[in-house]
Coordinates of all heavy atoms in Angstrom, one line a residue:
M1 N 7.3 25.5 141.2 CA 8.3 26.4 140.9 C 8.8 26.3 139.4 O 9.1 27.3 138.8 CB 9.5 26.2 141.9 CG 10.6 27.2 141.8 SD 11.7 27.0 143.1 CE 13.0 28.0 142.6
A2 N 8.9 25.0 139.0 CA 9.4 24.8 137.6 C 8.4 25.4 136.6 O 8.8 26.0 135.6 CB 9.6 23.3 137.3
S3 N 7.1 25.3 136.9 CA 6.1 25.9 136.1 C 6.3 27.5 136.0 O 6.2 28.1 134.9 CB 4.7 25.6 136.6 OG 3.8 26.2 135.8
D4 N 6.6 28.1 137.1 CA 6.8 29.5 137.2 C 8.0 29.9 136.3 O 8.0 30.9 135.6 CB 6.9 30.0 138.6 CG 5.7 29.9 139.4 OD1 4.6 29.9 138.7 OD2 5.7 29.8 140.6
F5 N 9.1 29.1 136.4 CA 10.3 29.4 135.6 C 10.0 29.2 134.2 O 10.5 30.0 133.3 CB 11.5 28.5 136.0 CG 12.2 29.0 137.2 CD1 12.4 28.2 138.3 CD2 12.8 30.3 137.2 CE1 13.1 28.7 139.4 CE2 13.5 30.8 138.3 CZ 13.6 30.0 139.4
G6 N 9.2 28.2 133.8 CA 8.8 28.0 132.4 C 8.0 29.2 131.9 O 8.2 29.7 130.7
K7 N 7.2 29.8 132.7 CA 6.4 31.0 132.3 C 7.3 32.2 132.2 O 7.2 33.0 131.3 CB 5.3 31.3 133.3 CG 4.2 30.2 133.3 CD 3.2 30.5 134.4 CE 2.2 29.3 134.5 NZ 1.4 29.5 135.6
L8 N 8.3 32.3 133.1 CA 9.2 33.4 133.1 C 10.1 33.4 131.9 O 10.3 34.5 131.3 CB 10.0 33.4 134.4 CG 11.1 34.5 134.6 CD1 10.4 35.8 134.7 CD2 11.9 34.2 135.8
F9 N 10.6 32.2 131.6 CA 11.6 32.2 130.4 C 10.9 31.7 129.1 O 11.6 31.4 128.2 CB 12.7 31.2 130.8 CG 13.6 31.8 131.9 CD1 13.6 31.2 133.2 CD2 14.4 32.9 131.7 CE1 14.4 31.8 134.2 CE2 15.1 33.5 132.7 CZ 15.2 32.9 133.9
G10 N 9.6 31.6 129.1 CA 8.9 31.2 127.9 C 9.2 32.1 126.7 O 9.1 31.7 125.6
W11 N 9.5 33.4 127.0 CA 9.7 34.3 125.9 C 11.0 33.9 125.1 O 11.1 34.3 123.9 CB 9.9 35.7 126.4 CG 11.0 35.9 127.4 CD1 11.0 35.7 128.7 CD2 12.4 36.2 127.0 NE1 12.3 35.9 129.2 CE2 13.1 36.2 128.2 CE3 13.0 36.5 125.8 CZ2 14.5 36.5 128.2 CZ3 14.4 36.8 125.9 CH2 15.1 36.8 127.1
C12 N 11.9 33.2 125.7 CA 13.1 32.8 125.0 C 12.8 32.0 123.8 O 13.4 32.2 122.7 CB 14.1 32.0 125.9 SG 14.7 32.9 127.3
S13 N 11.9 31.0 123.9 CA 11.6 30.1 122.8 C 10.9 31.0 121.7 O 11.1 30.8 120.5 CB 10.7 29.0 123.2 OG 9.5 29.4 123.7
G14 N 10.0 31.9 122.1 CA 9.4 32.7 121.1 C 10.4 33.6 120.3 O 10.3 33.8 119.1
L15 N 11.3 34.1 121.0 CA 12.4 35.0 120.4 C 13.2 34.1 119.5 O 13.6 34.6 118.4 CB 13.2 35.6 121.5 CG 14.3 36.6 121.0 CD1 13.6 37.8 120.3 CD2 15.1 37.1 122.1
L16 N 13.6 32.9 119.9 CA 14.4 32.1 119.1 C 13.7 31.7 117.8 O 14.3 31.5 116.7 CB 14.8 30.8 119.8 CG 15.9 31.0 120.9 CD1 16.1 29.7 121.7 CD2 17.2 31.5 120.3
L17 N 12.3 31.5 117.9 CA 11.6 31.2 116.7 C 11.6 32.2 115.6 O 11.4 32.0 114.4 CB 10.1 30.9 117.1 CG 9.9 29.5 117.7 CD1 8.5 29.4 118.2 CD2 10.2 28.4 116.7
L18 N 12.0 33.5 116.0 CA 12.1 34.5 115.0 C 13.4 34.3 114.1 O 13.4 34.8 113.0 CB 12.2 35.9 115.7 CG 10.9 36.3 116.4 CD1 11.2 37.6 117.1 CD2 9.8 36.5 115.4
Y19 N 14.4 33.6 114.7 CA 15.6 33.5 114.0 C 16.0 32.1 113.5 O 16.9 31.9 112.7 CB 16.8 34.0 114.9 CG 16.6 35.5 115.3 CD1 16.1 35.8 116.6 CD2 16.8 36.5 114.4 CE1 15.9 37.1 116.9 CE2 16.7 37.8 114.8 CZ 16.2 38.1 116.0 OH 16.0 39.4 116.4
F20 N 15.4 31.1 114.1 CA 15.7 29.7 113.8 C 14.4 28.9 113.4 O 13.3 29.3 113.8 CB 16.3 29.0 115.0 CG 17.6 29.5 115.4 CD1 17.7 30.3 116.5 CD2 18.8 29.3 114.7 CE1 18.9 30.9 117.0 CE2 20.0 29.8 115.1 CZ 20.1 30.6 116.2
P21 N 14.6 27.9 112.5 CA 13.4 27.1 112.2 C 12.9 26.3 113.4 O 13.7 26.0 114.3 CB 13.9 26.2 111.1 CG 15.4 26.4 110.9 CD 15.8 27.5 111.8
V22 N 11.7 25.8 113.3 CA 11.1 25.1 114.4 C 11.9 23.8 114.8 O 12.1 23.5 115.9 CB 9.6 24.7 114.1 CG1 9.0 23.9 115.2 CG2 8.8 26.0 113.9
G23 N 12.4 23.1 113.8 CA 13.1 21.9 114.0 C 14.4 22.1 114.9 O 14.7 21.3 115.7
V24 N 15.0 23.2 114.7 CA 16.2 23.5 115.4 C 15.9 23.7 116.9 O 16.5 23.3 117.8 CB 17.0 24.7 114.8 CG1 18.1 25.2 115.7 CG2 17.5 24.4 113.5
I25 N 14.8 24.5 117.1 CA 14.3 24.7 118.5 C 13.9 23.4 119.2 O 14.3 23.2 120.4 CB 13.1 25.7 118.5 CG1 13.5 27.0 117.7 CG2 12.7 26.0 119.9 CD1 14.6 27.8 118.3
V26 N 13.2 22.6 118.5 CA 12.8 21.3 119.1 C 14.0 20.4 119.4 O 14.1 19.8 120.5 CB 11.9 20.5 118.1 CG1 11.6 19.1 118.6 CG2 10.6 21.3 118.0
I27 N 15.0 20.4 118.6 CA 16.2 19.6 118.8 C 17.0 20.2 120.0 O 17.5 19.5 120.9 CB 17.1 19.5 117.6 CG1 16.5 18.6 116.6 CG2 18.5 19.0 117.9 CD1 17.1 18.7 115.2
M28 N 17.1 21.5 120.1 CA 17.7 22.2 121.2 C 17.0 21.9 122.5 O 17.6 21.5 123.6 CB 17.8 23.7 121.0 CG 18.8 24.1 120.0 SD 18.7 25.9 119.6 CE 18.6 26.7 121.1
A29 N 15.7 21.9 122.5 CA 14.9 21.7 123.7 C 15.0 20.2 124.2 O 15.2 19.9 125.4 CB 13.4 22.0 123.5
A30 N 15.0 19.3 123.2 CA 15.2 17.9 123.5 C 16.6 17.6 124.1 O 16.7 16.9 125.1 CB 15.0 17.0 122.3
F31 N 17.6 18.2 123.5 CA 19.0 18.0 124.1 C 19.1 18.6 125.5 O 19.6 17.9 126.4 CB 20.0 18.7 123.2 CG 21.4 18.7 123.7 CD1 22.1 17.5 123.7 CD2 21.9 19.8 124.3 CE1 23.4 17.4 124.2 CE2 23.2 19.8 124.9 CZ 23.9 18.6 124.8
L32 N 18.6 19.8 125.7 CA 18.7 20.4 127.1 C 17.9 19.6 128.1 O 18.3 19.4 129.2 CB 18.2 21.8 127.0 CG 19.1 22.8 126.3 CD1 18.5 24.1 126.1 CD2 20.5 22.9 126.9
G33 N 16.7 19.1 127.7 CA 15.9 18.2 128.6 C 16.6 16.9 128.9 O 16.7 16.5 130.1
F34 N 17.2 16.3 127.9 CA 18.0 15.1 128.1 C 19.2 15.3 129.0 O 19.4 14.5 129.9 CB 18.4 14.5 126.7 CG 19.2 13.2 126.8 CD1 18.5 12.0 127.1 CD2 20.5 13.2 126.6 CE1 19.2 10.8 127.1 CE2 21.2 12.0 126.7 CZ 20.6 10.8 127.0
F35 N 19.9 16.4 128.8 CA 21.0 16.7 129.6 C 20.6 16.9 131.1 O 21.2 16.4 132.0 CB 21.7 18.0 129.1 CG 22.8 18.5 129.9 CD1 24.0 17.8 129.9 CD2 22.7 19.6 130.8 CE1 25.1 18.2 130.7 CE2 23.7 20.0 131.6 CZ 24.9 19.3 131.5
G36 N 19.5 17.7 131.3 CA 19.1 18.0 132.7 C 18.6 16.8 133.4 O 19.0 16.5 134.5
Y37 N 17.8 16.0 132.8 CA 17.3 14.8 133.4 C 18.4 13.7 133.6 O 18.4 13.0 134.5 CB 16.1 14.2 132.7 CG 14.8 14.9 132.9 CD1 14.2 15.6 131.9 CD2 14.3 15.1 134.2 CE1 13.0 16.3 132.1 CE2 13.1 15.8 134.4 CZ 12.5 16.4 133.4 OH 11.3 17.1 133.6
G38 N 19.3 13.7 132.6 CA 20.4 12.8 132.7 C 21.3 13.1 133.8 O 21.8 12.2 134.6
L39 N 21.6 14.4 134.0 CA 22.4 14.8 135.2 C 21.7 14.5 136.5 O 22.4 14.0 137.4 CB 22.7 16.4 135.1 CG 23.6 16.9 136.1 CD1 25.0 16.3 136.1 CD2 23.7 18.5 135.9
Q40 N 20.4 14.7 136.6 CA 19.7 14.4 137.8 C 19.8 12.9 138.1 O 20.0 12.5 139.2 CB 18.2 14.8 137.7 CG 18.0 16.2 137.8 CD 16.5 16.6 137.6 OE1 15.7 15.7 137.8 NE2 16.2 17.8 137.4
W41 N 19.7 12.1 137.0 CA 19.7 10.6 137.2 C 21.1 10.2 137.7 O 21.2 9.4 138.6 CB 19.4 9.9 135.9 CG 19.4 8.4 136.0 CD1 18.4 7.6 136.5 CD2 20.5 7.6 135.6 NE1 18.8 6.3 136.5 CE2 20.1 6.2 135.9 CE3 21.7 7.8 135.1 CZ2 20.9 5.1 135.7 CZ3 22.5 6.7 134.8 CH2 22.1 5.4 135.2
L42 N 22.2 10.8 137.1 CA 23.5 10.5 137.5 C 23.8 10.8 139.0 O 24.4 10.1 139.7 CB 24.5 11.2 136.6 CG 24.6 10.7 135.2 CD1 25.5 11.6 134.4 CD2 25.1 9.2 135.2
L43 N 23.2 12.0 139.4 CA 23.4 12.4 140.8 C 22.6 11.5 141.7 O 23.1 11.1 142.8 CB 22.9 13.8 141.0 CG 23.8 14.9 140.3 CD1 23.1 16.2 140.2 CD2 25.1 15.0 141.1
I44 N 21.4 11.1 141.4 CA 20.5 10.2 142.2 C 21.2 8.8 142.4 O 21.2 8.2 143.4 CB 19.1 10.1 141.7 CG1 18.4 11.5 141.9 CG2 18.3 9.0 142.4 CD1 17.1 11.6 141.2
Q45 N 21.7 8.3 141.3 CA 22.4 7.0 141.3 C 23.8 7.1 141.9 O 24.4 6.0 142.0 CB 22.5 6.5 139.9 CG 21.2 6.2 139.2 CD 20.4 5.2 139.9 OE1 20.9 4.1 140.3 NE2 19.1 5.4 140.1
R46 N 24.2 8.2 142.3 CA 25.5 8.5 142.9 C 26.7 8.0 142.0 O 27.7 7.6 142.4 CB 25.6 7.8 144.3 CG 24.6 8.4 145.3 CD 24.9 7.8 146.6 NE 23.8 8.2 147.5 CZ 23.9 9.3 148.3 NH1 24.9 10.1 148.2 NH2 22.9 9.5 149.1
L47 N 26.5 8.2 140.7 CA 27.5 7.9 139.7 C 28.5 9.1 139.6 O 29.6 8.9 139.2 CB 26.9 7.5 138.4 CG 26.1 6.3 138.3 CD1 25.4 6.1 137.0 CD2 26.9 5.1 138.7
I48 N 28.0 10.3 139.9 CA 28.8 11.4 140.0 C 28.5 12.2 141.3 O 27.4 12.0 141.8 CB 28.7 12.4 138.8 CG1 27.2 12.9 138.7 CG2 29.1 11.7 137.5 CD1 27.0 14.0 137.6
S49 N 29.4 13.0 141.7 CA 29.2 13.7 143.0 C 29.6 15.2 142.7 O 30.6 15.5 142.2 CB 30.0 13.2 144.1 OG 29.8 13.9 145.2
L50 N 28.6 16.1 143.0 CA 28.9 17.5 142.9 C 28.5 18.2 144.1 O 27.6 17.8 144.8 CB 28.1 18.1 141.7 CG 28.4 17.6 140.3 CD1 27.3 18.1 139.3 CD2 29.8 18.0 139.9
P51 N 29.1 19.4 144.5 CA 28.7 20.2 145.6 C 27.2 20.7 145.3 O 26.8 20.9 144.2 CB 29.7 21.3 145.7 CG 30.8 20.9 144.9 CD 30.3 19.9 143.9
Y52 N 26.5 21.0 146.4 CA 25.1 21.4 146.2 C 25.0 22.7 145.4 O 24.0 22.8 144.6 CB 24.5 21.6 147.6 CG 24.2 20.3 148.3 CD1 24.7 20.1 149.5 CD2 23.3 19.4 147.7 CE1 24.5 18.9 150.2 CE2 23.0 18.2 148.4 CZ 23.6 18.0 149.6 OH 23.3 16.8 150.3
F53 N 25.9 23.6 145.5 CA 25.7 24.9 144.8 C 25.9 24.6 143.3 O 25.2 25.3 142.4 CB 26.6 26.0 145.3 CG 28.1 25.8 144.8 CD1 28.6 26.4 143.7 CD2 29.0 25.1 145.6 CE1 29.9 26.2 143.3 CE2 30.3 24.9 145.3 CZ 30.7 25.5 144.1
M54 N 26.7 23.7 142.9 CA 26.9 23.3 141.5 C 25.6 22.6 140.9 O 25.2 22.9 139.8 CB 28.1 22.5 141.2 CG 29.4 23.3 141.4 SD 30.9 22.3 141.1 CE 30.8 22.1 139.3
V55 N 25.1 21.7 141.7 CA 23.8 21.0 141.3 C 22.7 22.1 141.1 O 22.0 22.1 140.1 CB 23.4 20.0 142.4 CG1 22.1 19.4 142.0 CG2 24.5 18.9 142.5
H56 N 22.6 23.0 142.0 CA 21.6 24.1 141.9 C 21.8 24.9 140.7 O 20.9 25.2 140.0 CB 21.6 24.9 143.2 CG 20.7 26.0 143.1 ND1 19.3 25.9 143.3 CD2 20.9 27.4 143.0 CE1 18.7 27.0 143.2 NE2 19.6 28.0 143.0
F57 N 23.1 25.2 140.4 CA 23.4 26.1 139.2 C 23.1 25.3 137.9 O 22.5 25.9 137.0 CB 24.9 26.4 139.3 CG 25.3 27.2 138.1 CD1 25.0 28.6 138.0 CD2 26.1 26.6 137.1 CE1 25.4 29.3 136.9 CE2 26.5 27.4 136.0 CZ 26.2 28.7 135.9
F58 N 23.5 24.1 137.8 CA 23.3 23.3 136.6 C 21.8 23.0 136.3 O 21.4 22.9 135.2 CB 24.1 22.0 136.6 CG 25.6 22.3 136.4 CD1 26.5 21.7 137.2 CD2 26.1 23.2 135.4 CE1 27.9 21.9 137.0 CE2 27.4 23.4 135.2 CZ 28.3 22.8 136.0
L59 N 21.1 22.7 137.4 CA 19.7 22.3 137.2 C 18.7 23.5 137.3 O 17.7 23.4 136.8 CB 19.3 21.2 138.2 CG 20.2 20.0 138.1 CD1 19.7 19.0 139.2 CD2 20.1 19.3 136.8

């Protein structure tokens, strides 16, 4: 499913490349990946607690 979403939203990075340099896009992608995996880790370790619909929305 994640692969399908990547294909579906892959046009976003191509569009952003028209307006921003490659370095900015890479930094944005790294930050968003770090945020997403960090949030998952915090949830799995039970350091934070969120309702299921919020977890689904954020991830």
Side-chain angles (χ1 to χ4, degrees):
M1 185 171 168
S3 175
D4 293 335
F5 278 123
K7 292 173 188 173
L8 178 65
F9 293 111
W11 62 271
C12 295
S13 60
L15 185 65
L16 287 174
L17 283 171
L18 294 174
Y19 299 104
F20 297 104
V22 175
V24 172
I25 305 301
V26 170
I27 290 171
M28 286 172 44
F31 174 76
L32 291 174
F34 181 73
F35 176 76
Y37 284 118
L39 182 62
Q40 287 180 17
W41 182 80
L42 290 172
L43 289 166
I44 290 170
Q45 296 297 319
R46 298 187 188 268
L47 296 174
I48 62 172
S49 178
L50 295 173
Y52 287 121
F53 75 92
M54 288 182 72
V55 173
H56 178 73
F57 177 75
F58 286 134
L59 301 179

